């Protein structure tokens, strides 16, 4: 289990403008990711070090976006002005997560501008919609063309700042043993009575830390 990526829903200015704003803050060249036909969305990738990345995503005017939970989640977050939508945990096998959540994962797929077909399975979007502090889970068919490998990056994901409850997140992740978890990423939980959410993310680059 490891943190794979963080998703940022496009602002009213649109996908490209949102990606350019984030890339200028982080010093990363944005890369076109392509369309998620099953979900009615498309994305831009900001590669990070350590097999991680930032996904900037927008909803398309397509029937799939109304039916797929992922499209629904993107549309809802963009409708509030855009911003951090989710953090995503990768696992080698989703069977345990499927058993714990009591449902099957769904297939995801997109063709990249480089001519690569990426395939994965994901689960937990409905949980994210109900409780936005929670991550969703992904299982890649292969890491050979993982989005983080589009370009070498000196920028690392170092912190997640969550408005919510650590105990709830640990329960969702299936962590029953005490101790820290995060694979080199620091967690900061704040429960000040506001809505649950991924509030901000901290990165470390050549010029020091950046929190967005």
């Amino acid at each position: 289990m490891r943190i794979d990526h963080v998703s940022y829903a496009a602002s009213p200015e649109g996908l490209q403008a949102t990606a350019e704003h984030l890339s200028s803050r982080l010093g990363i060249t944005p890369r076109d990711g392509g369309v998620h036909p099953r979900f009615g969305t498309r994305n831009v990738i900001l590669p990070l070090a350590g097999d991680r990345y930032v996904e900037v995503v927008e909803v398309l005017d397509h029937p799939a976006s109304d039916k797929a939970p992922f499209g629904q989640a993107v549309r809802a977050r963009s409708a509030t002005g855009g911003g951090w939508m989710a953090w995503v945990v990768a696992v080698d096998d989703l069977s345990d997560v499927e058993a714990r959540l009591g449902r099957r994962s769904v297939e995801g797929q997109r063709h990249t501008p480089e001519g690569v077909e990426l395939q994965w399975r994901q689960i937990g979007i409905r949980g994210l919609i109900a409780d936005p502090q929670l991550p969703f889970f992904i299982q890649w068919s292969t890491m050979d063309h993982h989005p983080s490998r589009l370009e070498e990056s000196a920028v690392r994901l170092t912190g997640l700042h969550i408005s919510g409850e650590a105990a709830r997140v640990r329960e969702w992740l299936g962590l029953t043993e005490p101790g820290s978890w995060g694979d080199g990423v620091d967690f900061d939980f704040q429960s000040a009575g506001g809505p649950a959410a991924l509030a901000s993310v901290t990165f470390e680059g050549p010029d020091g830390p950046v929190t967005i």
Side-chain angles (χ1 to χ4, degrees):
M1 184 185 298
R2 65 177 186 83
I3 298 172
D4 186 75
H5 67 277
V6 285
S7 292
Y8 193 101
S11 71
E13 286 75 20
L15 178 65
Q16 296 302 325
T18 304
E20 290 290 346
H21 172 69
L22 293 177
S23 66
S24 67
R25 294 283 308 276
L26 296 174
I28 299 173
T29 301
R31 302 288 296 267
D32 183 17
V35 172
H36 306 119
R38 292 178 181 269
F39 307 145
T41 56
R42 62 181 176 184
N43 68 8
V44 168
I45 302 299
L46 277 60
L48 302 172
D51 289 334
R52 294 183 175 126
Y53 64 97
V54 176
E55 171 193 47
V56 188
V57 61
E58 77 172 356
V59 71
L60 301 173
D61 185 13
H62 189 280
S65 66
D66 295 324
K67 297 178 181 178
F70 186 78
Q72 295 169 11
V74 176
R75 186 186 301 279
R77 187 67 182 94
S78 289
T80 64
W84 293 116
M85 187 188 80
W87 54 292
V88 186
V89 172
V91 298
D92 294 331
D93 186 350
L94 283 173
S95 299
D96 288 346
V97 181
E98 291 175 326
R100 192 168 68 251
L101 300 187
R103 55 183 177 272
R104 293 293 307 276
S105 58
V106 299
E107 294 181 355
Q109 169 268 342
R110 63 180 169 87
H111 286 90
T112 74
E114 294 77 23
V116 174
E117 182 182 21
L118 295 178
Q119 296 179 321
W120 66 91
R121 298 191 68 86
Q122 65 185 51
I123 189 173
I125 302 295
R126 294 190 186 278
L128 160 70
I129 293 173
D131 190 356
Q133 68 178 303
L134 302 177
F136 68 91
F137 302 88
I138 189 169
Q139 177 186 335
W140 292 98
S141 62
T142 175
M143 287 291 288
D144 290 348
H145 299 284
H146 188 262
S148 66
R149 301 180 184 181
L150 283 169
E151 188 172 304
E152 290 289 332
S153 177
V155 181
R156 292 185 173 274
L157 171 63
T158 58
L160 297 178
H161 311 282
I162 297 172
S163 176
E165 298 289 343
R168 173 67 178 123
V169 171
R170 290 183 64 86
E171 176 189 30
W172 180 252
L173 292 171
L175 299 176
T176 57
E177 298 296 327
S180 62
W181 177 82
D183 194 20
V185 176
D186 292 329
F187 284 81
D188 173 35
F189 285 91
Q190 299 179 353
S191 53
L198 174 59
S200 62
V201 180
T202 297
F203 305 86
E204 183 75 31
D207 297 326
V210 176
T211 297
I212 299 174

